[in-house]
Amino acid sequence: MQAEHEDILHSALLAAQAGKSLCLISVMETFGSSPRPVGSLLAVAKSGEFWGSVSGGCIEEELLESLKQNWPESAEVRLYGESEEERARLQLPCGGCMRLYVQPVTESLLADALQALKQRQTVALVSQLDSGQCEIQDCDIWQEHQWDGERWLNVLGPRWQLYIVGAGPISQYLVQLAELLNIRCAVIDPRPEYAEQWQESWAPIYRQYPDDVLAELGVDSHSFIATVSHDPKIDDLAVMYALRSKAAYIGAMGSVRTSAKRRERLQEHFGFSDRELKKLKAPIGLDIHSKTPAEIAVSILADLIAVKNA
């Protein structure tokens, strides 16, 4: 599984604290087919340990061997897959080519970047190729990676958080699938008959009403909210709180007819505007004609991936 930025930086920081020299390697540009998107991160210790990925395995072996033979003392740019021969040798996808930024990093830089991510901030590592200097800047979640030939701006974001309202079978599958995507989950259900059958080993569960839990835990631009309790008294509380938050995704379970009634109810009785209600995905998930709990969970996670990668 490709680790997220927070996990990569955490492992790199532990290595730096143990006295090991570190490099951060990031994907700056891709041309043609590419197994990893721009911004993908790989941390490498001079001792040979590494965390993350920049190519899904295509060039890592050669890259690690190259770093072992010639550890960089300053920032540099590397191009892989420039020729047809090299693409064939590295087994890059047809036509694929990628530009990487290789930069030695200090323990303090790793610590500051990791601390920002733990505080749910989105930051950019702004690196100057000529001087090798790197600094951390706050930025918006939708800030794009930028490379102008001299400066590389690599955007790092905190781990995505999925709040699931309802502790039924769909939630169990959602948690399992989200774990594969390195999305942190929390389940909310005040109903004793559902909460008591939930296993804490799957994901933490909160037994209060969802608006209270969301207010306590916090909802930010890296948060997804999926209400699947089938109980409007519970789901609506989460939806109403979420619609006036920074949540990246708000979805509610229900048929087309049920969803239309929910929108009417929220507008007529609670004063939500058409603009606010446009944030609500109801029925939840992608329309893949899902029927079973597992299929519904797949449709929801697919929708979240589309939002996350947009």
Side-chain angles (χ1 to χ4, degrees):
M1 179 182 69
Q2 168 65 15
E4 293 290 342
H5 295 146
E6 187 175 324
D7 300 320
I8 295 171
L9 294 179
H10 175 74
S11 297
L13 179 59
L14 291 178
Q17 290 172 339
K20 299 177 181 179
S21 298
L22 269 296
C23 271
L24 278 184
I25 302 163
S26 49
V27 178
M28 304 168 64
E29 292 180 298
T30 62
F31 311 90
S33 301
S34 174
R36 297 293 303 144
V38 171
S40 295
L41 201 63
L42 172 69
V44 180
K46 194 172 184 179
S47 57
E49 302 160 280
F50 65 95
W51 307 270
S53 172
V54 290
S55 76
C58 300
I59 67 170
E60 268 81 359
E61 183 176 355
E62 177 161 313
L63 176 59
L64 293 171
E65 182 61 28
S66 173
L67 291 174
K68 182 179 179 180
Q69 297 296 328
N70 186 20
W71 186 258
E73 299 299 328
S74 60
E76 58 184 55
V77 175
R78 299 190 179 193
L79 188 64
Y80 284 87
E82 187 173 14
S83 67
E84 184 175 344
E85 178 184 357
E86 187 175 44
R87 287 194 294 272
R89 178 173 56 82
L90 297 173
Q91 297 184 341
L92 283 165
C94 181
C97 181
M98 64 175 60
R99 195 186 309 275
L100 303 181
Y101 195 86
V102 181
Q103 180 176 33
V105 289
T106 63
E107 179 182 337
S108 61
L109 180 74
L110 293 170
D112 290 345
L114 182 60
Q115 180 64 23
L117 298 190
K118 287 182 177 294
Q119 293 175 351
R120 308 292 296 166
Q121 298 174 20
T122 300
V123 296
L125 297 183
V126 183
S127 307
Q128 304 290 341
L129 180 60
D130 56 353
S131 66
Q133 292 184 342
C134 180
E135 62 179 7
I136 300 172
Q137 293 183 0
D138 292 334
C139 65
D140 184 79
I141 179 178
W142 304 121
Q143 169 70 51
E144 295 184 357
H145 309 280
Q146 294 179 358
W147 165 244
D148 61 10
E150 297 179 359
R151 189 185 75 153
W152 166 229
L153 189 150
N154 192 21
V155 181
L156 308 179
R159 189 176 179 185
W160 290 86
Q161 172 74 55
L162 171 58
Y163 294 112
I164 306 169
V165 179
I170 294 172
S171 302
Q172 295 180 32
Y173 287 109
L174 272 175
V175 167
Q176 293 176 37
L177 292 171
E179 183 179 358
L180 296 175
L181 300 171
N182 204 31
I183 297 173
R184 183 184 289 115
C185 293
V187 175
I188 307 168
D189 202 324
R191 301 169 297 180
E193 64 272 23
Y194 285 91
E196 289 172 3
Q197 58 81 37
W198 184 264
Q199 295 184 29
E200 288 278 355
S201 60
W202 298 338
I205 185 167
Y206 297 84
R207 304 187 181 202
Q208 298 81 31
Y209 281 93
D211 52 338
D212 293 331
V213 175
L214 294 175
E216 179 183 352
L217 298 180
V219 176
D220 58 28
S221 53
H222 277 81
S223 300
F224 303 128
I225 297 172
T227 67
V228 295
S229 78
H230 295 285
D231 186 337
K233 297 189 301 296
I234 296 173
D235 286 348
D236 282 3
L237 288 173
V239 169
M240 287 190 291
Y241 183 90
L243 285 176
R244 288 171 176 163
S245 74
K246 295 181 179 180
Y249 181 92
I250 307 159
M253 180 72 66
S255 65
V256 172
R257 182 179 178 184
T258 299
S259 299
K261 287 184 176 181
R262 172 178 280 115
R263 287 187 171 89
E264 292 175 5
R265 186 167 63 247
L266 294 177
Q267 192 165 44
E268 181 178 351
H269 297 292
F270 299 99
F272 283 89
S273 66
D274 290 335
R275 182 178 180 180
E276 288 173 320
L277 290 172
K278 283 182 180 179
K279 295 171 62 178
L280 176 61
K281 183 62 179 291
I284 196 172
L286 296 182
D287 184 7
I288 58 173
H289 304 289
S290 51
K291 300 296 183 184
T292 67
E295 290 174 347
I296 293 170
V298 168
S299 76
I300 295 171
L301 261 297
D303 214 5
L304 300 188
I305 292 171
V307 170
K308 181 172 74 72
N309 293 342

